[in-house]
């Protein structure tokens, strides 16, 4: 969604010899522990203090030779350590389906953030940097500064992840166990564009990861072409207006099945919103979570679980809990053992969400995301490449094991 992530992820089985592209590259660099001698955690009644951009002035850009690069490239450091953001625990773990590994390094990902086509990579010292691919020979600081601001917003860079993990670890033994296994930090919740996030999760219901990626990649192809990197052609995610021009039959022919009517219906309904669907979605960021869930559930194909994903990953609702089979398993084993043996229902989903908020506070969604990752098969955290032919629409279902993620 990969080479073994040692030492961050232990006991990783070998990758199957087929269905995955062979990758080469060094093992991941050791990550300094973030859960060591630190001040005691703040009470959950207090919202974690958010850092401001002024506390982290943008560092000067440098030419940084990275693993797999034949020539030094113009990489620009970001104010995030590996403890703040570890890419393999953030980009391929079910929040988004549009990033691709485009080099031999398992620590480099390429994707579009708005109109910016860029790669993200960890540096040899564990830091993070980005490479802007589509600046059209304009290497001015303004272009780089605009891209940096966009990626920092997308990565939710002002949220102090280390502080949150310290609080979660102190509050819950299960979280402490999973955090230690994942290396002590780095799994962030993204702040995606709401339109992009909504239509990605319309593709996720009752689906497996390979087909979700193919569908989302097909949808992205209706947007503006940004460029080609590593054999993949990247596009800016289409606007609601562009998606509204796509017919249901066209999507069915591309393998979307019944989800085609949801995508077409949602685009049509958003077009009819006062001021437009983009504005309507953006305004949900200022509403309370129950109102956000209720509003999103009026759209075709959006139920409470998908609405919670959209709320958490794009609408600043940090306490939203998408309750799927993975989260239900965590809840019945560790938070609400009295529910073991029962079937997940909409009513029990609310009970589970409330239990997470009671345990972890106003950023419970971030804690739930880590516990969700802890339930994934270890192979999902490896550097398994997506074949380049997955960028083309196809009618046939890809082979391979079906893996449920946020479905």
């Amino acid at each position: 969604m990969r080479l073994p992530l040692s030492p961050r992820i232990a006991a990783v089985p070998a990758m199957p010899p087929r269905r995955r592209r062979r990758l080469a590259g060094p093992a991941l660099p050791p990550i300094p522990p973030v859960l060591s001698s630190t001040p005691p955690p703040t009470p959950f009644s207090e919202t974690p203090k958010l850092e401001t951009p002024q506390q982290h002035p943008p560092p000067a850009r440098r030419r940084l030779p990275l693993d797999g690069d034949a020539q030094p490239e113009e990489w620009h450091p970001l104010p995030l350590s590996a403890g703040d953001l570890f890419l393999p625990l953030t980009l391929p773990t079910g929040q988004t389906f549009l990033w691709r590994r485009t080099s031999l390094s398992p620590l480099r990902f390429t994707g579009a953030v708005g109109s910016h086509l860029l790669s993200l990579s960890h540096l040899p010292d564990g830091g993070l940097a980005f490479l802007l691919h589509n600046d059209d020979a304009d290497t001015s600081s303004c272009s780089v500064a605009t891209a940096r601001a966009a990626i920092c917003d997308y990565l939710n860079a002002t949220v102090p992840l280390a502080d949150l993990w310290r609080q979660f670890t102190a509050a819950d033994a299960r979280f402490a166990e999973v955090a230690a296994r994942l290396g002590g930090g780095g799994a962030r919740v993204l702040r995606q564009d709401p339109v992009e996030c909504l239509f990605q999760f319309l593709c996720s219901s009752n689906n497996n990861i390979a087909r979700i990626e193919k569908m989302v990649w097909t949808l992205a192809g209706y947007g503006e072409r940004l460029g080609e990197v590593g054999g993949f052609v990247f596009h800016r995610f289409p606007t609601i207006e562009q998606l509204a021009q796509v017919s249901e039959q066209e999507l069915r022919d591309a393998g979307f099945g019944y989800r085609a009517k949801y995508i077409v219906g949602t685009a049509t309904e958003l077009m009819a919103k006062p001021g437009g669907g983009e504005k309507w979605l953006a305004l949900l960021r200022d509403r309370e979570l129950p109102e956000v869930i209720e509003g999103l559930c009026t759209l075709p194909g959006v139920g409470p679980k998908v609405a919670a994903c959209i709320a958490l990953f794009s609408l600043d609702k940090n306490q939203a809990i998408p309750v799927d089979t993975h989260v239900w398993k965590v809840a019945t084993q560790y938070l609400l053992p009295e529910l073991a043996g029962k079937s997940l229902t909409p009513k029990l989903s609310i009970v589970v969400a409330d239990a997470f908020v009671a345990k972890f506070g106003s950023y419970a969604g971030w804690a739930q995301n880590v516990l969700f990752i802890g339930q994934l098969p270890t192979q999902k955290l490896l550097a398994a490449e997506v074949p380049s032919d997955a960028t083309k629409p196809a009618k046939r279902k890809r082979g391979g094991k079906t893996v449920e993620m946020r479905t």
Side-chain angles (χ1 to χ4, degrees):
M1 251 211 339
R2 302 179 212 219
L3 290 177
L5 299 186
S6 60
R8 294 184 57 95
I9 299 177
V12 179
M15 294 168 58
R18 291 188 285 238
R19 300 178 184 161
R20 297 183 186 270
R21 179 177 298 173
R22 180 183 296 273
L23 295 176
L28 304 190
I31 305 302
V34 297
L35 302 177
S36 56
S37 55
T38 55
T42 55
F44 279 105
S45 58
E46 300 178 9
T47 300
K49 182 180 180 181
L50 302 186
E51 301 171 350
T52 62
Q54 288 74 19
Q55 292 176 291
H56 296 283
R61 61 188 181 182
R62 297 179 288 161
R63 295 183 68 81
L64 300 170
L66 297 177
D67 294 337
D69 294 332
Q71 299 291 334
E73 296 172 311
E74 197 75 13
W75 288 83
H76 309 278
L78 289 166
L80 290 165
S81 69
D84 295 317
L85 170 64
F86 189 58
L87 295 172
L89 292 183
T90 300
L91 296 181
T93 51
Q95 298 186 59
T96 179
F97 307 94
L98 285 168
W99 291 82
R100 297 291 183 265
R101 284 182 166 91
T102 52
S103 81
L104 294 179
S105 170
L107 301 181
R108 177 169 169 174
F109 293 79
T110 302
V113 177
S115 62
H116 305 288
L117 175 58
L118 49 85
S119 291
L120 293 172
S121 184
H122 287 287
L123 309 180
D125 63 2
L128 188 71
F130 74 95
L131 170 65
L132 188 59
H133 293 285
N134 63 336
D135 55 2
D136 297 325
D138 176 11
T139 57
S140 68
S141 59
C142 180
S143 174
V144 171
T146 301
R148 178 181 279 112
I151 190 61
C152 283
D153 182 70
Y154 181 88
L155 295 175
N156 246 337
T158 58
V159 177
L161 185 65
D163 289 347
L164 290 177
W165 278 48
R166 280 192 289 268
Q167 294 183 38
F168 300 154
T169 298
D172 183 66
R174 170 61 178 171
F175 185 95
E177 174 192 338
V178 173
R181 178 158 50 88
L182 297 181
R188 298 191 73 81
V189 166
L190 301 173
R191 190 176 191 259
Q192 301 177 65
D193 174 81
V195 174
E196 179 177 316
C197 189
L198 165 61
F199 283 95
Q200 286 191 81
F201 278 96
L202 282 176
C203 299
S204 70
S205 298
N206 300 313
N207 210 348
N208 65 71
I209 191 62
R211 295 188 69 222
I212 297 171
E213 286 185 342
K214 178 182 283 190
M215 290 178 187
V216 171
W217 194 264
T218 298
L219 283 186
Y222 291 104
E224 173 192 358
R225 188 183 190 276
L226 297 179
E228 181 176 343
V229 181
F232 295 91
V233 177
F234 292 87
H235 296 78
R236 181 173 187 171
F237 199 83
T239 64
I240 296 170
E241 290 77 10
Q242 289 171 319
L243 289 171
Q245 301 302 313
V246 183
S247 70
E248 179 179 339
Q249 188 58 50
E250 185 175 354
L251 293 177
R252 286 186 177 274
D253 290 343
F256 282 70
Y258 67 86
R259 301 167 193 83
K261 65 180 179 181
Y262 295 149
I263 292 168
V264 171
T266 291
T268 301
E269 289 206 17
L270 289 174
M271 287 284 290
K273 296 290 185 184
E278 184 175 348
K279 179 180 178 181
W280 180 78
L281 286 169
L283 288 174
L284 292 179
R285 284 178 167 168
D286 299 324
R287 307 296 171 83
E288 296 298 321
L289 179 59
E291 185 179 355
V292 171
I293 299 297
E294 181 180 1
L296 290 172
C297 285
T298 64
L299 300 174
V302 179
K305 180 178 56 184
V306 168
C309 287
I310 299 165
L312 176 62
F313 301 136
S314 70
L315 297 175
D316 298 336
K317 299 298 168 272
N318 299 304
Q319 76 277 32
I321 307 296
V323 181
D324 61 5
T325 55
H326 297 287
V327 176
W328 172 251
K329 183 177 180 180
V330 171
T332 55
Q333 286 184 340
Y334 303 103
L335 289 179
L336 299 166
E338 64 273 16
L339 298 182
K342 296 183 180 294
S343 299
L344 179 60
T345 65
K347 184 176 180 180
L348 289 180
S349 293
I350 297 174
V351 174
V352 170
D354 289 344
F356 270 92
V357 173
K359 171 72 72 171
F360 297 108
S362 60
Y363 277 71
W366 290 59
Q368 171 271 154
N369 185 58
V370 174
L371 295 174
F372 169 84
I373 294 171
Q375 291 294 117
L376 294 179
T378 306
Q379 292 91 335
K380 291 290 98 183
L381 303 179
L382 300 181
E385 181 59 282
V386 179
S388 58
D389 60 5
T391 65
K392 303 175 183 178
K395 295 181 182 180
R396 60 196 178 109
K397 180 178 178 180
R398 284 181 58 195
K401 182 180 179 180
T402 296
V403 178
E404 183 183 6
M405 292 187 69
R406 299 290 181 195
T407 59

